[in-house]
């Protein structure tokens, strides 16, 4: 079992930055690939970033590539999402997710993830 708690969301102006954190419970954090997803009102939850167990591999969709950076600190059981050059269309609830990973894979499909946090709101004003 893994419990995930996101933090760091808030209100920011367009062009600004935020860093989200996701703290995980459990002693096997380094055996999980991690991901960030977001969901805007009336839209489906979409992939934002993913990272492998060790942090050696990452993946991003084109919509955030170059602006968002995902990282992890396995000693602290925490993953981060650094977001810069934020746009109003980045407004959404951001969710952290964990997937049991036998290998150094990154997973971009939400169906792969077994555990989810409660989400943190990010609002970007124009």
């Amino acid at each position: 079992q893994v419990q995930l708690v996101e933090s760091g969301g808030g209100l920011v102006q367009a062009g600004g930055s935020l860093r989200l954190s996701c703290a995980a419970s459990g002693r096997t954090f380094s055996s999980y690939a991690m991901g960030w997803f977001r969901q805007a009102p009336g839209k489906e939850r979409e992939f934002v970033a993913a990272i492998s167990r060790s942090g050696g591999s990452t993946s991003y969709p084109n919509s955030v590539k170059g602006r968002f950076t995902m990282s992890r600190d396995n000693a602290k059981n925490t993953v981060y999402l650094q977001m810069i050059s934020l746009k109003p269309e980045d407004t959404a609830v951001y969710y952290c997710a964990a997937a049991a990973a036998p290998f150094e894979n990154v997973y971009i499909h939400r169906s792969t993830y077994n555990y989810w946090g409660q989400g943190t709101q990010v609002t970007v004003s124009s």
Side-chain angles (χ1 to χ4, degrees), residues 10-18 38 40-41 43 46 48 61-68 82-94 121-126:
L11 173 64
V12 63
Q13 289 187 332
S17 302
L18 279 176
R38 66 187 181 187
K43 296 188 177 181
E46 65 174 359
V48 173
N62 288 336
S63 58
V64 308
K65 195 173 292 183
R67 300 189 299 120
F68 290 11
Q82 178 68 51
M83 305 184 292
I84 65 171
S85 302
L86 283 162
K87 305 175 182 180
E89 51 262 44
D90 294 319
T91 295
V93 177
Y94 283 70
Q121 177 71 46
V122 172
T123 303
V124 184
S125 64
S126 57

Side-chain angles (χ1 to χ4, degrees), residues 29-30 32-34 51-55 71-74 78-79:
F29 178 69
S30 60
Y32 287 86
M34 300 295 294
I51 194 166
S52 61
R53 297 183 311 180
S54 70
S71 60
R72 67 189 295 162
D73 185 337
N74 285 346
T78 302
V79 294

Side-chain angles (χ1 to χ4, degrees), residues 86-108:
L86 283 162
K87 305 175 182 180
E89 51 262 44
D90 294 319
T91 295
V93 177
Y94 283 70
Y95 297 91
C96 172
F103 306 106
E104 277 288 302
N105 294 337
V106 291
Y107 301 110
I108 67 172

